[in-house]
Amino acid sequence: MFSERQQQIVEIAIKLIADKGIQNLTTKNIAFKIGISEPALYRHFSSKLEILKAVIAYFQIKMQPALEKLKESLISLNKIESFMLEHLKIINLNPDFAKVIFSEANFQNEENLILKMNNMMNQSHKILETIVHSGQKKDEIRTDINSLSIVRMIIGSMRLLVTQWSMSGMIFNLETEGRQLSDDIKKLIVAK
Amino acid sequence: MFSERQQQIVEIAIKLIADKGIQNLTTKNIAFKIGISEPALYRHFSSKLEILKAVIAYFQIKMQPALEKLKESLISLNKIESFMLEHLKIINLNPDFAKVIFSEANFQNEENLILKMNNMMNQSHKILETIVHSGQKKDEIRTDINSLSIVRMIIGSMRLLVTQWSMSGMIFNLETEGRQLSDDIKKLIVAK
DNA sequence: ATTATCTTTGTTAGTGTTCACTAACGTGGT
DNA sequence: ACCACGTTAGTGAACACTAACAAAGATAAT
């Protein structure tokens, strides 16, 4: 789908955004970091907007494995644990993602982009919602708590954890803290 | 502290950011919305950066009452409920806040701004942390759960709720959903 | 095998537009 | 006379993007 040069452009675009925000993402900066001229960029992407679309597609591809792993487990609580830890593992391996992925507001100027980003997020949310729901039906998860609240707590705390990790300069171990959080959530929502 | 004109500028700046993102915040747009010329802005703020600093200060002032109300209650769970609902009440009354306040990444280009924003957030987090901690000491809150996890779940789910509300075009009632979330969290963390 | 042609990927130089901001000046109230 | 608060006109810098040209490798006809 993406040529080597296109991948390189996307990766550098992510790095530039992660480094100094979306305002740092200029065609000039991308070209300079690669070591080619600005017009050469336009041999690989027809516009800057296309580069941003590719950034989002790149996230989607990289995050996919986290959703695949869930299928291996049958118990709801294990699926939830897997959901959290697999996502965090990928983000840990691609620290630049953290700075970009949860700042949807950055793309606010372009209707198309924010829609694509939302779709990507909603996909994850829907999957987690299904897991929680069936966990309650199978009496593995407390039924006296609104399932939407549980989903919001899981996703919300995960996102906050990633944001804090990213803001702190990655000062703590994301996967260790993620496991602590996941263990605590499991303890809270398990059916008694 | 702020003159009437300065307040007007700040409020319009927030509206512009909420509407189409930080890239929509230009001196030209601010001036046009007020109905004065661009150079007239510079009679009230020495630069665009000063306007952004004032935006953050404005948030801080407007959010303060949410932290005051907590003192009225003695029981930890009620304090947590109050923390959540009072914050949501203010955001509900100032819907533009929602779009701006949780997009710290927007200010990433200016070291000073992101620091100010972080300080503001950390202040709230610290207060909630203290409440949870003392709630555990008084045996009002489960002690088998890491207090940091509880704080992350509360703040994380709140922020996600606000983001979802804002992204959905304020399609649901923020305070109603907030009460549901707060009730569920209370049920989960209460000591047995 | 040599030559001609096309495609891919780069270059330099420059476009118009928008940005934050300034110089110089006007005017009405104290 | 002064000062707070406007105005019009214009600054250089940065932006995304384009026109025109160059060079190297693959393809294909001779």
Side-chain angles (χ1 to χ4, degrees):
Chain A
M1 196 73 193
F2 288 138
S3 71
E4 269 181 48
R5 200 46 126 199
Q6 281 177 321
Q7 272 195 42
Q8 189 189 13
I9 291 170
V10 167
E11 279 160 17
I12 282 180
I14 292 171
K15 209 163 277 180
L16 284 169
I17 296 173
D19 203 34
K20 295 200 189 131
I22 195 115
Q23 314 205 8
N24 194 42
L25 187 73
T26 66
T27 51
K28 192 181 182 178
N29 286 351
I30 299 172
F32 178 79
K33 269 243 179 182
I34 296 180
I36 60 175
S37 68
E38 223 179 321
L41 283 180
Y42 289 86
R43 297 288 175 200
H44 306 282
F45 288 101
S46 63
S47 71
K48 190 182 161 183
L49 181 59
E50 292 301 317
I51 297 177
L52 282 170
K53 284 185 190 169
V55 164
I56 293 175
Y58 188 83
F59 281 145
Q60 213 154 10
I61 291 165
K62 285 270 179 180
M63 285 297 181
Q64 205 63 48
L67 299 174
E68 297 298 329
K69 274 269 175 90
L70 306 181
K71 295 169 185 162
E72 293 173 14
S73 179
L74 287 171
I75 300 153
S76 301
L77 288 181
N78 291 346
K79 283 196 178 200
I80 289 172
E81 181 176 36
S82 196
F83 180 94
M84 295 183 69
L85 298 185
E86 291 300 323
H87 273 96
L88 295 178
K89 195 189 279 180
I90 294 170
I91 290 171
N92 194 35
L93 288 174
N94 306 270
D96 292 331
F97 280 25
K99 291 251 184 189
V100 186
I101 208 166
F102 291 150
S103 53
E104 308 94 337
N106 280 340
F107 299 126
Q108 233 166 14
N109 55 322
E110 201 45 64
E111 288 280 325
N112 262 340
L113 288 183
I114 199 160
L115 263 173
K116 268 177 200 264
M117 204 74 167
N118 276 349
N119 283 345
M120 193 175 112
M121 298 289 182
N122 278 341
Q123 192 194 357
S124 288
H125 290 209
K126 285 240 168 76
I127 288 169
L128 185 59
E129 219 171 314
T130 311
I131 296 171
V132 171
H133 235 96
S134 83
Q136 286 181 320
K137 275 208 170 148
K138 290 190 283 175
D139 246 328
E140 294 169 4
I141 293 176
R142 283 176 68 160
T143 53
D144 60 330
I145 307 290
N146 193 324
S147 66
L148 186 52
S149 292
I150 294 178
V151 172
R152 281 185 175 141
M153 282 169 36
I154 294 171
I155 306 241
S157 60
M158 260 182 71
R159 290 174 67 148
L160 181 62
L161 177 64
V162 171
T163 301
Q164 288 175 338
W165 178 68
S166 169
M167 294 277 214
S168 76
M170 295 145 217
I171 214 173
F172 58 82
N173 187 305
L174 182 62
E175 296 196 53
T176 308
E177 296 276 320
R179 199 161 295 115
Q180 168 78 265
L181 183 62
S182 145
D183 285 346
D184 283 338
I185 286 176
K186 273 162 58 187
K187 262 193 252 175
L188 286 172
I189 65 173
V190 65
K192 287 157 293 190
Chain B
M1 197 72 193
F2 288 139
S3 71
E4 269 181 49
R5 197 52 122 197
Q6 282 177 319
Q7 272 195 42
Q8 189 188 13
I9 292 170
V10 167
E11 279 160 18
I12 281 178
I14 292 170
K15 209 163 279 180
L16 284 169
I17 297 173
D19 202 35
K20 296 202 189 129
I22 194 115
Q23 314 203 9
N24 193 41
L25 186 73
T26 65
T27 51
K28 192 179 180 176
N29 286 351
I30 300 172
F32 178 79
K33 269 243 178 181
I34 297 181
I36 60 175
S37 69
E38 224 179 322
L41 283 181
Y42 289 86
R43 299 285 176 203
H44 307 281
F45 287 102
S46 63
S47 71
K48 189 182 162 184
L49 182 59
E50 291 301 316
I51 297 177
L52 282 170
K53 283 186 191 168
V55 165
I56 293 174
Y58 188 84
F59 281 146
Q60 214 153 9
I61 291 166
K62 284 272 180 180
M63 285 298 181
Q64 205 62 48
L67 299 173
E68 297 298 328
K69 274 268 176 94
L70 307 180
K71 294 170 185 162
E72 293 173 13
S73 178
L74 286 171
I75 300 152
S76 301
L77 288 182
N78 290 347
K79 282 195 178 201
I80 288 172
E81 181 177 37
S82 196
F83 179 94
M84 295 183 69
L85 298 186
E86 291 300 323
H87 273 97
L88 294 178
K89 194 188 281 180
I90 293 170
I91 290 171
N92 193 35
L93 289 174
N94 305 270
D96 292 332
F97 280 25
K99 291 250 184 191
V100 185
I101 208 165
F102 291 150
S103 54
E104 308 93 337
N106 281 341
F107 299 125
Q108 233 167 14
N109 56 323
E110 201 46 63
E111 287 281 324
N112 263 340
L113 288 183
I114 197 160
L115 264 173
K116 268 175 201 265
M117 203 72 165
N118 276 349
N119 283 345
M120 194 175 110
M121 297 291 183
N122 278 341
Q123 191 194 357
S124 289
H125 290 209
K126 286 241 168 77
I127 288 170
L128 185 59
E129 219 172 315
T130 311
I131 296 171
V132 171
H133 234 96
S134 82
Q136 287 180 319
K137 275 208 171 149
K138 290 190 283 175
D139 246 328
E140 294 169 5
I141 294 176
R142 283 176 69 158
T143 53
D144 60 330
I145 308 289
N146 193 324
S147 67
L148 185 53
S149 293
I150 295 177
V151 171
R152 281 186 176 141
M153 283 170 34
I154 294 171
I155 306 241
S157 60
M158 259 181 72
R159 290 174 67 148
L160 182 61
L161 177 64
V162 171
T163 302
Q164 288 175 339
W165 178 69
S166 169
M167 294 277 213
S168 76
M170 296 146 214
I171 214 173
F172 58 83
N173 187 305
L174 182 62
E175 295 196 54
T176 307
E177 296 276 319
R179 199 161 294 117
Q180 168 77 266
L181 183 62
S182 146
D183 284 347
D184 284 338
I185 286 176
K186 274 161 59 187
K187 261 192 251 174
L188 286 172
I189 65 173
V190 65
K192 287 157 295 190

